[in-house]
Amino acid sequence: MKVEVVGPGQRAQPQQPPSQPVHQIPNQVQAKMFALVSLFILGVGAAAAIELPISPLYHSPALVKPLLKTIEVEAPAHYDFAYSVHDEHTGDIKSQTESRKGDQVQGQYTLVDADGYLRTVDYTSDAHNGFNAVVRRDPLGHKVVKAAPIAKILAPAPLPLAYAAPKLLAPVKLPLGVYH
């Protein structure tokens, strides 16, 4: 231990053991380190923003098969459909019927062509043969009556409207004491 003699009016300076030399990091190196750390933080943030499918930490071994298997069973399609239109005024005469049982469809539609023939189409469709249609045209024996055109009634031109000039009313004279 070292003792120091101090004169009047002086303070004793405590002796510190010699310490390790302090190294200063140059400003250029500090800037590069800051840039690298910033890029690292941005990269971690970007990776966290990407949604990745993460498997659970635990999983069953690949050799174990599930004991129950879920099977969705759809019932085969089944419907019957029919409609018809018979409008003598416009000459619109047509009909359709269709039925489906599973993958097999059968149907028929008819319509009256403009030349007076009845067109009948019988069709079937299934998974093996695809769509098949048989078309028949049978004469009705009479021409199709076209609807008479609707007569256009011309309305008379609208009469010009005449407006009368507004009547001027005499101004109302108020007594002088009423004004504010």
Side-chain angles (χ1 to χ4, degrees):
M1 178 179 216
K2 194 174 191 184
V3 178
E4 187 175 311
V5 179
V6 178
Q10 294 180 343
R11 284 191 180 175
Q13 296 290 334
Q15 291 288 331
Q16 293 182 355
S19 64
Q20 303 233 349
V22 178
H23 296 289
Q24 290 289 331
I25 300 174
N27 287 339
Q28 292 175 342
V29 175
Q30 286 180 356
K32 287 181 182 178
M33 288 177 58
F34 179 77
L36 287 174
V37 170
S38 299
L39 285 175
F40 176 76
I41 291 172
L42 287 174
V44 169
I50 298 173
E51 294 183 25
L52 298 174
I54 300 173
S55 62
L57 297 175
Y58 58 90
H59 60 279
S60 60
L63 299 176
V64 177
K65 293 182 180 178
L67 297 176
L68 298 175
K69 188 175 184 181
T70 304
I71 300 174
E72 292 185 26
V73 178
E74 295 181 11
H78 178 76
Y79 65 83
D80 292 315
F81 169 77
Y83 82 93
S84 67
V85 175
H86 191 87
D87 188 357
E88 291 288 339
H89 179 70
T90 61
D92 189 13
I93 301 170
K94 58 188 171 187
S95 65
Q96 180 179 4
T97 60
E98 183 174 293
S99 64
R100 178 174 179 176
K101 292 181 177 94
D103 289 335
Q104 295 181 350
V105 178
Q106 292 180 347
Q108 178 186 59
Y109 67 89
T110 62
L111 61 106
V112 177
D113 287 330
D115 60 357
Y117 281 81
L118 177 68
R119 183 188 321 173
T120 305
V121 179
D122 295 306
Y123 60 91
T124 60
S125 177
D126 60 26
H128 180 69
N129 297 318
F131 182 80
N132 293 308
V134 177
V135 181
R136 292 188 324 263
R137 286 179 40 100
D138 300 318
L140 289 176
H142 64 278
K143 291 282 186 183
V144 175
V145 177
K146 293 185 179 179
I150 298 173
K152 293 182 181 179
I153 301 173
L154 297 176
L159 298 174
L161 297 175
Y163 294 100
K167 294 180 182 178
L168 295 176
L169 300 174
V172 178
K173 294 184 181 178
L174 297 174
L176 292 176
V178 175
Y179 298 110
H180 292 282

